[in-house]
Amino acid sequence: MQWTYPMLTSTRGSDMKTKINKKNPGFFLSAGILVFFILAAIFAGYIAPHDPEKANLELRLKEPCREFPLGTDHMGRCILSRIIFGARISLSVGLLVVSSSLALGLAVGSLSGYYGGWADEAVMRIVDAFLAFPSLLLALGIAGLFGAGFKNLVIALIVVDWAGYARLARSSVISVKEQDYIKASKGLGVGDMHVIVHHVIPNIISPLIVMATIGMGYVILSAAGLSFLGFGVQPPTPEWGSMLNEGKTYIRSAPYIMVFPGIAIMLVVLAFNYLGDELRDLIDPRTRKDIE
């Protein structure tokens, strides 16, 4: 994932507020979907109707009904409860991976772009090497090397995700480090780290936030894919990707086992992607329309 964005200017704040306040059903629908899943994850222990890991073979493959609104799986576990608790896993993986990748990529890219020279060339060749591999295949290889599990899943996705943030941060730093306010700070004798932290990063963080918002959906989808292949979170822990894997055997006799977790993944990923697009439109003057 690579994007290039112009920097925000100090005169854009009022325009952004005006555009945010305009009616945008898609924006608020996406935000509402995310709030719904976040609240469900936080209060899963209170709103889930059943224990998500408790098996009861007498209730296996029960179709949706009043007691089990989304039915039960092949072990007699409540699918609704497993989706609710699975939101914790999926959103936690997304948050950990994106925040860690953003922090690592921002640090590496900022230092590389600011100082330049041979170090910059060496760092960018390493970044290019990571970006050259198909990200999901690289994550699959790393997860296979270290083994399945929540911790290894997060590590595998961070390893393949940080490079995109580093490249964007580096290109953004190069575009601002020659600005007059940066030269003025250096002229006052301020140290390089002070300039980077207090002047450079605040002016390049906006496009990285946009990238992180869209990246949340990508990471959640990748985590579900790895779990579906057996390299992520393992049963009986409820996780959307592993639920799809467990339900594939019953796709003909009980399709709801796969359909409902698939819908949850689709809604969350689309919501993050739409919010990311909206944020990009707010900070990119090439995509913003005049406000009447």
Side-chain angles (χ1 to χ4, degrees):
M1 297 180 299
Q2 298 183 43
W3 295 273
T4 302
Y5 300 93
M7 298 301 102
L8 287 173
T9 62
S10 60
T11 61
R12 200 173 297 167
S14 59
D15 289 345
M16 289 177 62
K17 292 179 180 179
T18 302
K19 190 169 184 179
I20 290 174
N21 289 332
K22 293 181 67 176
K23 293 182 179 180
N24 190 333
F27 176 85
F28 290 107
L29 177 61
S30 299
I33 291 172
L34 293 180
V35 170
F36 172 80
F37 277 98
I38 291 172
L39 292 177
I42 294 174
F43 298 103
Y46 298 97
I47 64 177
H50 301 279
D51 185 342
E53 298 184 16
K54 184 178 180 180
N56 186 346
L57 295 181
E58 295 181 357
L59 299 173
R60 68 189 302 269
L61 302 180
K62 191 176 183 65
E63 295 184 352
C65 59
R66 178 173 297 182
E67 184 180 2
F68 301 99
L70 301 184
T72 62
D73 63 8
H74 62 295
M75 298 295 293
R77 298 170 297 197
C78 176
I79 294 177
L80 175 59
S81 299
R82 290 180 64 78
I83 289 177
I84 292 173
F85 275 89
R88 283 185 172 180
I89 301 296
S90 295
L91 293 175
S92 296
V93 170
L95 182 60
L96 287 172
V97 172
V98 169
S99 59
S100 300
S101 300
L102 175 60
L104 178 60
L106 178 61
V108 172
S110 297
L111 293 173
S112 177
Y114 186 83
Y115 288 107
W118 65 267
D120 177 42
E121 289 295 327
V123 169
M124 285 303 102
R125 297 297 76 77
I126 295 174
V127 169
D128 289 340
F130 277 95
L131 294 177
F133 286 94
S135 56
L136 188 58
L137 291 181
L138 181 58
L140 182 63
I142 296 172
L145 179 64
F146 290 101
F150 180 87
K151 180 180 178 180
N152 292 335
L153 174 65
V154 171
I155 293 174
L157 291 174
I158 291 174
V159 170
V160 303
D161 200 41
W162 70 274
Y165 295 96
R167 176 164 290 281
L168 178 58
R170 183 248 187 187
S171 62
S172 300
V173 169
I174 291 176
S175 68
V176 303
K177 70 177 184 179
E178 299 299 330
Q179 297 293 325
D180 291 338
Y181 62 90
I182 300 294
K183 296 179 179 179
S185 298
K186 292 180 179 179
L188 294 174
V190 177
D192 289 339
M193 290 307 300
H194 184 277
V195 173
I196 293 174
V197 172
H198 292 89
H199 299 290
V200 174
I201 291 180
N203 283 278
I204 69 170
I205 195 64
S206 295
L208 289 167
I209 292 176
V210 174
M211 185 176 181
T213 304
I214 299 176
M216 278 288 293
Y218 164 79
V219 168
I220 290 173
L221 187 61
S222 297
L226 290 175
S227 295
F228 178 82
L229 295 173
F231 292 94
V233 179
Q234 299 297 295
T237 302
E239 196 276 337
W240 294 341
S242 62
M243 290 176 67
L244 292 176
N245 183 40
E246 292 175 336
K248 69 179 185 295
T249 305
Y250 307 92
I251 186 63
R252 293 182 179 273
S253 59
Y256 51 85
I257 298 179
M258 291 189 69
V259 169
F260 292 124
I263 291 176
I265 295 172
M266 179 190 70
L267 289 176
V268 171
V269 172
L270 287 178
F272 275 117
N273 286 345
Y274 192 89
L275 288 180
D277 288 339
E278 286 296 311
L279 290 175
R280 179 183 58 194
D281 292 343
L282 288 173
I283 70 171
D284 192 341
R286 294 171 298 183
T287 60
R288 292 170 61 234
K289 298 179 181 179
D290 293 335
I291 301 172
E292 298 179 358

